[in-house]
Amino acid sequence: MKAIRLEQNGGPDVLALADIPVPEPGANEVRVRHHAIGVNFIDTYQRSGLYKIGLPSGLGLEAAGVVEAIGASVTRFKQGDRIVYASGPIGAYAEANVVNEVRAVKLPDAIPFDIAAASLLKGMTARFLLRKTFRVERGHDVVIHAAAGGVGQIAVQWAKHLGANVIAVVGSDAKGEIAKSLGADHIIIQTRDDIAKRVREITGVGAHVVYDSVGKDTFLASLDCLRPLGMMVSFGNASGPPPDINPLLLSQKGSLFLTRPTMFSYTATVEQLDETSADLFDVIERGAVKIAPPAHYALADAAQSHRDLEGRKTTGSLVLVP
Ligand code: NDP
């Protein structure tokens, strides 16, 4: 089968299409024939070496497709089921992958494969951020960075659905229009505006919570957006890892809380995975969160999808089609 492989860390050019054997499922695994593969920013960290993976390796953690073979002990799925997974095993950039049955979920009939691959990882991230890491409630002032991106578009809509006052931070006016169309109450242009000053003008005392996936370029400004006892959620490094900070800084800025969560910790058990994905599918099926049609790339063009994602050229989600 065709699969993207990398022999070494580096830029997008290290991604190469190769022929590899079709994997056989172990006792608790299913083999999924992929219809759409999610491209996530974490894939770029694993490609570049910011996050370490064993090499040589495949890439990609998320895909949607049909179960075509099952291991002897599998009970959750049968052949022909439509399923989606978002936590690997690494190697989703391929025509098929084997997945432990407890890491996959059944896909509701109403959700197409490309929408599933565009939204499971990003949507479960939005869900744990808004419902678990900090429980957003009506009237909360919430700052969401990269608001026109994959996670961002879902988070903006979900936060509005919860009744928050959403302050969206984006990289351009065009992206601001997208965030606005999704319901964001206020738009801040990261490359032009003073983020903390604008948030204070909007909120008075500062935001209850900041969801910062940009990292290096925005981390300190995000801390300055918060009211006393506010929650800083640093959940990504799109511009590079955030700076080292002394915990005393959190006290000086008003006894702030700081967390650095990952989706994997919040969906570690099958019960957590089922609860989180069911909540996501529910808001999608009820129309509270609309998943924009993702940009489609051929599997062979995985490198181009990374160039576009890292070049801030994309909005919403990207999928690879085998
Ligand atoms: P996005 O579609 O959001 O793409 C990243 C966006 O970050 C860009 O479009 C860009 O938006 C913004 N950005 C700001 N500065 C830079 C920069 N210097 N270089 C590149 N991009 C920049 O990607 P995803 O939806 O896949 O992921 C969003 C973020 O969430 C990532 O940081 C990812 O690592 C994180 N994440 C974390 C998870 C977790 O469990 N902790 C799980 C899933 C995602 P703009 O131009 O508007 O600024």
Side-chain angles (χ1 to χ4, degrees):
M1 68 174 189
K2 300 283 184 212
I4 294 290
R5 303 285 298 170
L6 64 161
E7 301 284 326
Q8 59 191 40
N9 294 123
D13 290 344
V14 300
L15 302 181
L17 194 66
D19 274 306
I20 62 168
V22 176
E24 288 307 321
N28 298 102
E29 291 174 336
V30 300
R31 186 169 71 234
V32 197
R33 179 62 51 176
H34 293 163
H35 286 238
I37 300 154
V39 177
N40 290 286
F41 221 94
I42 189 174
D43 307 340
T44 72
Y45 307 143
Q46 292 180 326
R47 187 211 70 222
S48 71
L50 178 65
Y51 294 176
K52 301 290 170 225
I53 56 171
L55 293 172
S57 176
L59 198 67
L61 301 172
E62 176 179 44
V66 174
V67 174
E68 64 174 11
I70 63 171
S73 309
V74 167
T75 56
R76 256 164 90 82
F77 305 113
K78 59 182 187 321
Q79 271 187 350
D81 281 348
R82 300 170 77 246
I83 68 170
V84 56
Y85 64 91
S87 54
I90 199 163
Y93 288 12
E95 288 177 317
N97 199 4
V98 289
V99 182
N100 192 303
E101 63 168 334
V102 296
R103 301 312 304 156
V105 294
K106 216 163 178 174
L107 186 55
D109 291 341
I111 301 182
F113 290 120
D114 67 335
I115 297 293
S119 63
L120 187 68
L121 196 153
K122 298 169 185 78
M124 292 202 301
T125 299
R127 196 271 186 180
F128 82 73
L129 291 172
L130 299 167
R131 307 311 289 139
K132 297 285 181 183
T133 306
F134 179 94
R135 198 169 168 81
V136 170
E137 284 168 11
R138 187 160 297 282
H140 277 160
D141 294 316
V142 174
V143 177
I144 299 175
H145 284 272
V151 175
Q153 289 202 12
I154 301 174
V156 166
Q157 295 176 77
W158 208 323
K160 279 314 295 173
H161 178 58
L162 295 168
N165 179 39
V166 174
I167 304 166
V169 186
V170 294
S172 67
D173 290 308
K175 290 185 179 184
E177 289 303 318
I178 291 173
K180 192 118 210 166
S181 75
L182 298 172
D185 299 280
H186 307 274
I187 306 295
I188 295 176
I189 309 296
Q190 184 227 314
T191 42
R192 187 173 71 211
D193 298 335
D194 180 331
I195 298 173
K197 185 162 164 268
R198 284 284 295 123
V199 170
R200 287 189 178 279
E201 283 166 5
I202 293 163
T203 60
V205 281
H208 293 84
V209 58
V210 178
Y211 294 108
D212 186 339
S213 62
V214 172
K216 181 167 166 277
D217 289 353
T218 53
F219 183 89
L220 292 174
S222 290
L223 288 183
D224 286 331
C225 290
L226 288 163
R227 65 178 56 204
L229 309 190
M231 170 77 85
M232 168 68 176
V233 185
S234 169
F235 73 100
N237 340 268
S239 66
D244 294 338
I245 61 150
N246 187 324
L248 269 181
L249 190 64
L250 302 175
S251 78
Q252 289 156 4
K253 291 186 183 294
S255 305
L256 302 180
F257 293 86
L258 166 65
T259 181
R260 202 322 178 175
T262 75
M263 186 204 69
F264 306 108
S265 308
Y266 283 87
T267 57
T269 68
V270 68
E271 291 79 15
Q272 289 170 323
L273 175 68
D274 285 346
E275 180 193 319
T276 309
S277 58
D279 208 13
L280 172 66
F281 294 149
D282 179 58
V283 291
I284 293 175
E285 289 185 299
R286 286 193 290 124
V289 170
K290 296 189 177 64
I291 308 298
H296 285 219
Y297 294 76
L299 176 62
D301 295 333
Q304 189 58 43
S305 73
H306 280 210
R307 282 184 208 106
D308 292 347
L309 187 60
E310 291 173 292
R312 303 173 78 165
K313 294 202 178 93
T314 65
T315 60
S317 298
L318 290 63
V319 297
L320 305 177
V321 183

